[in-house]
Each structure stands twice: as C-alpha cells, then as structure tokens.
C-alpha cells in the first residue's frame, strides 16, 4: 500500500489573533510549512470589542460564549469576514494559496444546534462524529490550495452556528486521517502544556492517558488547556497520527521532526 | 470541437440584499438554476448601518464609497462575512452546494489599488484585464460547487480592497468565457433597462451599441444603470455570449430560453 500524503492541520488561538506582531510572524511561518496544510483560527477578543461598540453585550457561561441571534451575526462578520479574510490576504502575500471558509461553505462542517438542557447556549453548533465532509477539503488540498477555516458551522437549514475552534480542528483532523497522515498542531501563547501554570518553562514534553489522569487528579491543568487536551485525545483515539500543543512561535519546529512543545500520544 | 459547457454568472444587487423577502425568493430560485453557476452579490446598505453604529462615517463621491482603513474593515466584515455567509447558508439549505469567497481567496481576483488622481478613493481595487484566475473557479465549478463572490478583492500584498460588484461580475464572466459558454445576468429591483425611469413597464428588450448611444444622448439612463451597461458591453466585447439585465424575481426566466428583461448584444 502506498504511503499516505502528509497533512498538517494547524489551529491558532485567539490570543495570537489578538496580537498583530505575533500573528504576522505566525502567518509568515505557516506559509512556509511545506505540502498540504489546513489552518483553523480562533476568534479572539475582537468580536467582543465590536459587539460592545454595536451595543450587543457578550455573555459567557463556563467559559463558553452564549450566542444569541445578534451575537451570531457579530461572530459571522468578525470570524468569517474580518479575521478570516485578513489572514487569507496575508497568507496570499506570503506565498500560500489560501482559501478562507466557514463550515457552511461547500457544506464542509454540517453541525447541529446544541440542545437546550440546563443552559441555552443559543446558536452554538456541535459536530456529530463522522459528519465533516472530506471531499471538498481533498479537492482543495490536492489542487495546492490551503483551506483557512473560521470557527463557524451551519445547521443545513440556513443558520450559521458558532463552534469552538479546537473542536473544529480536532474534527477536521480526524476526518482527514482516513485519507492522509495527519499531524494536528495546536498553537497558542504558551510553550506547551505546563506542569506549573506560573512557570512558562515547565513544559511537559509527552502526555499519554496515564500522565493526563495524574495531571487531572493533581488539578494541574488550567481551564484553557483542558478542552485542547480533550480534543487532542479525541483526535489520537480516532486515527490522527500525532498531536502537538505548542507556542505559535514554534510552528516551524512543530511541523518538522525536531518538535517543541507537548506531544500527545 | 466539443460544445462548451454553459455557465450562468449571476449578479444580485444591494437593493435585493436589503430586502429579506426578495432575497429569500431570489436565493431559492438561484439554487434551482441547473448546471454550473456563479453568484456575485453586492453589499447593500447594511455596511453603512453597521459603520454608523461603529461610529465610522460613510463617505461617497460620484456614487462610489470612499474606503478608508476603518471602512475597508467594515466592508470586509459585512460583505465578506455577514452577507456572504448568510447567502451561503441559505443556498446550502436550498440544495445548492455554495462556497463563499472573496477575490483574495485562492487569489481569484488580484486587483490594484486605484491610483490617487483628483480623488483618493482609498482601499478600492480595480481589476486589470486578464487577471481573474479561472483555474480555481473551474476546479470548483467542475466539482459541482457554486462559488458565491463578495465584492472584495486584494492587492497581493496583504490588503483587502473594496471592488464594485458589477465590475467583478463582468470580469469573472469574461474570464470564464475562454472555457465556457457564459450568460451574465444582472439581477436588481427593476424589470430591466427602462426607457422612462418613472415607468417600471417601459423595459427596453434589446440594447445594442446604436440604441445605447441614442439612450445616452437622450439622457434616458439613470446613474444606477450606467455602470451595468458599461460592464455589460465590456463583457459582450470580450467573449461573453449573452448579457441580461432584469428583475431578481425573473431569474428563472432569465436563465432559460424565455428571457425577460433587457438583452444586451
């Protein structure tokens, strides 16, 4: 059997999006990653800033945005328009043939509006297992294009939905793993998963299920890192070859053999 | 030589975008147009409304928006994000496999910032002849996808530019004419080009260069229709087979053999 082609699925977080200098460096590095690659970007605080100016209050519960009808319009504008297209224009300038998309485009990510239980999260989309459409992604990747996905999906009935970018990254990586050797790289503003949240150099180089359980028991994991690790283990458990969590500045190393950051296995 | 495949390049104007009921009917009709098709949408007044709320004044000169740095962010959000993605989600619901793009995506429309002469139009992009990239459009069309283009281009140096939607429609139609039999259809809120702007039933069924000169000399053409006709003649003069100008409600007829509206030849 022929070896599968390699694909890097790279997620860049909101804190990087909010820092123009860090973002520019990151995008220049991302453009240089060889071969097939997909970028998934978070939203950052700009949606909150623009929502505030428009008189639309941002509401959060357990760290998740409550997305009412006005808010879904704001995130559609900001994530799907401003952030996504600025990234695309910059990647084009840096030599990557980027194409900016939401999960509604080409029906790449059909999602379901989160059911209302104790909390109504509003227009938030969950991605059922096995629903990400790989055909359009393969069409683009095999033509030398670089999909840039914003954290938006749709319900197939005409409604855009707000969806966590880590979840999109993990779901896309799993879907592509049927066709490619996938390395999923989460890029944020820390060097990796830290043993001590106050010590930026306490990076844990390798996390497996045993280490994960120890860290959970010790309460060593911050709220921000937990969903990344959950998504990382979900990816590894579903065919993704490698998952890395590291600093945006370390992207070049984390897309080579000399990895920095935290390797999940 | 084998007959070329047919492509409908359809432009829908801002006044339709601003009217939710008209837009929904139009999109349901557009989804039913058989075969290969491209939609180009205008912006509508929503960018102005959102700009106003954000405290960014809209400036116009000779009917063209002056696009300063703040304004280009607003149109990127509103045209490239909100309007484009809502159209895509609705088309997906109606059964068309839409993919929403700007001219920056896949480098489809490399443009140049309009040179400053008497007026500085700001971040406005003009499209040099022959620069629209047909390869990514062919890739999508031949895979059964329907590109939905917002009126945005880029300068190749990382800057998004605001570009007239009629011009984009004409340029895309001309580019595709090398590979397909192209019919370009401009859809707006009138039944066609009117002999008397105050009489909605005074549609001129056929306009050739002679009739055009007569109408110009008689001052019979409104400001809104002039750029459409200029773009229509530019398209006809450069390989596009047919150009139609008609009401958004007449799209089904204008993509069949029983045309309504004004035929340009």
């Amino acid at each position: 059997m022929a070896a599968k082609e390699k694909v890097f699925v790279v997620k860049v977080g909101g804190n990087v999006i909010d820092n123009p200098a860090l973002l520019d460096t990151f995008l220049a590095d991302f453009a240089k990653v060889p071969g097939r690659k997909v970028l998934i970007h978070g939203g950052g605080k700009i949606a909150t800033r623009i929502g505030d100016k428009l008189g639309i209050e941002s509401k959060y519960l357990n760290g998740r945005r409550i997305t009412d009808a006005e808010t879904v319009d704001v995130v559609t504008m900001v994530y799907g328009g401003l952030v996504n297209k600025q990234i695309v224009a910059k990647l084009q300038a840096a030599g990557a043939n980027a194409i900016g998309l939401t999960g509604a485009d080409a029906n790449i990510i059909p999602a379901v509006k989160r059911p209302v239980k104790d909390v109504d999260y509003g227009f938030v989309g969950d991605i059922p297992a096995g629903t990400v459409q790989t055909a359009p992604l393969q069409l683009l990747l095999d033509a030398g294009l670089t999909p840039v996905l914003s954290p938006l999906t749709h319900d197939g009935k005409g409604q855009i939905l707000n969806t966590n970018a880590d979840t999109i990254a993990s779901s896309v990586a799993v879907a592509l793993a049927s066709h490619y050797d996938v390395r999923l790289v989460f890029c944020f503003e820390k060097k990796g998963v830290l043993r001590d949240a106050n010590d930026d150099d306490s990076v844990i180089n390798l996390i497996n299920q045993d280490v994960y359980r120890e860290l959970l028991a010790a309460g060593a994991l911050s709220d921000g890192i937990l969903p990344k690790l959950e998504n990382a283990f979900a990816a590894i458990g579903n065919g993704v070859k490698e998952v890395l969590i590291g600093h945006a500045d370390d992207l070049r190393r984390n897309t080579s053999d000399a990895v920095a950051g935290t390797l999940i296995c």
Side-chain angles (χ1 to χ4, degrees), chain A:
Chain A
M1 195 177 134
K4 289 179 182 173
E5 296 282 348
K6 198 169 184 73
V7 172
F8 293 103
V9 175
V10 177
K11 188 261 172 170
V12 61
N15 287 338
V16 179
I17 303 289
D18 286 332
N19 182 329
L22 192 54
L23 179 61
D24 283 355
T25 306
F26 171 82
L27 293 176
D29 285 346
F30 179 77
K32 293 192 196 101
V33 173
R36 293 170 173 78
K37 56 196 184 243
V38 180
L39 181 63
I40 295 100
H41 62 83
K45 298 198 178 68
I46 182 167
T48 304
R49 273 207 306 281
I50 288 178
D52 285 348
K53 282 196 192 174
L54 293 173
I56 299 163
E57 194 194 348
S58 295
K59 303 166 210 74
Y60 288 88
L61 199 85
N62 304 330
R64 301 252 167 166
R65 186 189 284 275
I66 304 286
T67 308
D68 59 16
E70 285 181 313
T71 303
V72 79
D73 282 355
V74 172
V75 298
T76 302
M77 287 198 297
V78 175
Y79 301 164
L82 189 61
V83 174
N84 189 266
K85 299 313 172 188
Q86 286 184 339
I87 288 174
V88 166
K90 285 179 178 180
L91 286 176
Q92 286 286 345
N97 201 355
I99 181 166
L101 303 167
T102 68
D105 296 297
N107 194 31
I108 291 171
I109 313 176
V112 292
K113 185 171 176 292
R114 185 170 300 167
V116 179
K117 292 176 188 163
D118 298 342
V119 181
D120 183 358
Y121 285 99
F123 296 103
V124 167
D126 292 324
I127 307 174
T131 59
V132 172
Q133 302 295 300
T134 51
L137 289 171
Q138 282 180 271
L139 179 79
L140 302 176
L141 287 167
D142 294 349
L145 291 162
T146 295
V148 177
L149 296 172
S150 61
L152 299 168
T153 58
H154 75 137
D155 69 356
K157 291 175 265 180
Q159 178 66 52
I160 296 285
L161 299 170
N162 192 11
T163 297
N164 179 273
D166 288 344
T167 306
I168 289 183
S170 174
S171 303
V172 165
V174 167
L176 290 175
S178 307
H179 304 277
Y180 304 96
D181 260 0
V182 176
R183 180 183 288 186
L184 171 59
V185 185
F186 290 100
C187 298
F188 70 146
E189 73 290 359
K190 301 282 183 185
K191 290 182 184 169
V193 180
L194 304 179
R195 193 167 288 281
D196 173 358
N198 298 314
D199 177 3
D200 275 355
D201 291 320
S202 67
V203 174
I204 307 169
N205 294 113
L206 199 83
I207 299 186
N208 57 22
Q209 287 281 1
D210 289 343
V211 176
Y212 183 42
R213 272 189 292 267
E214 276 170 42
L215 291 166
L216 278 177
L221 299 168
S222 67
D223 286 352
I225 209 73
L226 270 173
K228 276 185 187 50
L229 282 171
E230 284 167 16
N231 281 301
F233 280 112
I236 288 289
N238 286 284
V240 174
K241 200 172 174 191
E242 300 152 321
V243 182
L244 278 154
I245 299 178
H247 199 286
D249 279 347
D250 288 329
L251 176 67
R252 292 308 304 280
R253 288 180 66 192
N254 283 332
T255 50
S256 73
D257 291 331
V259 299
T262 302
L263 180 69
I264 313 296
C265 59

